[in-house]
Amino acid sequence: MKDDSHSDALIIGCGLFGAFTALFLARRGLRVTVLERGAVGAQASATNFGNIRLHGRSAGQYPLSLRAQELWEEYAGLTGEDCEIELTGHLYFARTEEGCETLRREAETAAQFGVVSDVLQGPALRERFPFLAPDIPLAAFSPRSAVANPRLATVPVARAVERAGGRVIENCEVTGIRATPDGFEAETGDGRRFSAPRLINAAGAWAGRIAGWFGEPVPMFSAGPPQFVTEPLPHRLLPSVHMVEGDVIVRQVSRGNVIFSGYPRTHSQAAGDLTYVPPTKTLRGMDALARCIPMLARAEVIRVWSGVEGYLPDMLPVIGPSTTTPSLFHAFGGSGGGFQIAPAVGEALARAITEERLPDMLRGYGIDRFTADAAVSAKIVREFDKRG
């Protein structure tokens, strides 16, 4: 009799990292089971800004990011569905002298990897993007960047997993995992057990607990950016707009609503299931938005939210094999930039699992970088509210 609790690979977590890994493993012929503690894609994968941007990446991440961009462009073919992907382009702008230096440096880094950007200033900037405040000195526009609706992005991938022969089980919280002679056995809160010779830890903000079970503690914490959406307005903001200094990340959807995200991020509540948005952060966000894009000064905010995202000190994810346990793999800690790279994370990790060889684009993301003092990104200092 077939044992439905046994599969070739067991994945904990069905956010985008877990879902895409499951899809590419299933397409390689493995029987995959994905266990999700809540609803598919309901946490960071659904509550982020939805930016599919190529600007602002670390140099080491561009191979992964560029492959991810190709996969987002193939999303409809991969999943058979749509998640409102729009080729808006990405407008990266700076207000301060330090910000201008950062923008030029990051545009040069992107250009080294073939990312085309138009760097604009003065009259050329005013003419092309007249909605920006006149005191903004410098911007760079990347035409290949896009946006998607994050609330729609993960579920089609999960459905594609099931069509490829995999299983996705929601509301199935894993309470314990043990290594066995044949691999791994996971126990859930309702008493069920699932086994597989391979285990993938893609549990998002909760993945650090699982890593700790296998002797690989990581200095991860949960947080999220303050976000809000306005009433529908005349559609004049065509690109996704991102301030280098971080206070403003904004786009306008085709229905007219303006979606805002910004800094400083807020630490999640102790239980880890919620990131509260203080009203002062919404007011601060609207003020920053009006100073950068004056036509939005009188926009009415109709909803506010944040997510529960996993962050690591260097603002880079953990992707790759365990250093303590054979056939255990990790994929977590997107640190605010995981949405865009998720398809390539899944594809590359599926290759690593089935070919038993780490693809070059995954080098530098190993969990072993936390066995010593990890580098702390300057972004941590700038982008997080130390008060909570």
Side-chain angles (χ1 to χ4, degrees), residues 127-152:
E127 181 179 354
R128 188 162 177 187
F129 299 107
F131 56 79
L132 287 178
D135 62 338
I136 291 173
L138 187 69
F141 179 71
S142 166
R144 192 180 176 189
S145 296
V147 295
N149 186 337
R151 292 183 177 274
L152 303 180

Side-chain angles (χ1 to χ4, degrees), residues 263-352:
Y263 312 146
R265 294 176 169 98
T266 305
H267 288 265
S268 302
Q269 294 187 329
D273 292 327
L274 176 68
T275 303
Y276 176 65
V277 181
T280 54
K281 290 195 174 182
T282 302
L283 294 172
R284 172 179 169 164
M286 271 305 301
D287 180 63
L289 183 58
R291 282 186 280 111
C292 296
I293 305 177
M295 70 179 185
L296 299 178
R298 299 180 64 83
E300 294 286 341
V301 175
I302 61 174
R303 186 167 64 87
V304 175
W305 74 95
S306 189
V308 179
E309 302 176 343
Y311 289 86
L312 292 158
D314 55 7
M315 297 288 279
L316 295 172
V318 167
I319 315 164
S322 165
T323 58
T324 64
T325 309
S327 299
L328 168 63
F329 298 84
H330 300 291
F332 64 84
S335 299
F339 185 81
Q340 191 269 343
I341 62 173
V345 169
E347 182 187 54
L349 192 58
R351 282 180 52 202

Side-chain angles (χ1 to χ4, degrees), residues 362-385:
L362 293 186
R363 299 193 186 281
Y365 298 106
I367 198 168
D368 56 345
R369 70 184 192 268
F370 298 109
T371 57
D373 291 337
V376 177
S377 168
K379 290 166 69 68
I380 288 281
V381 177
R382 178 164 58 90
E383 297 178 12
F384 287 85
D385 188 342

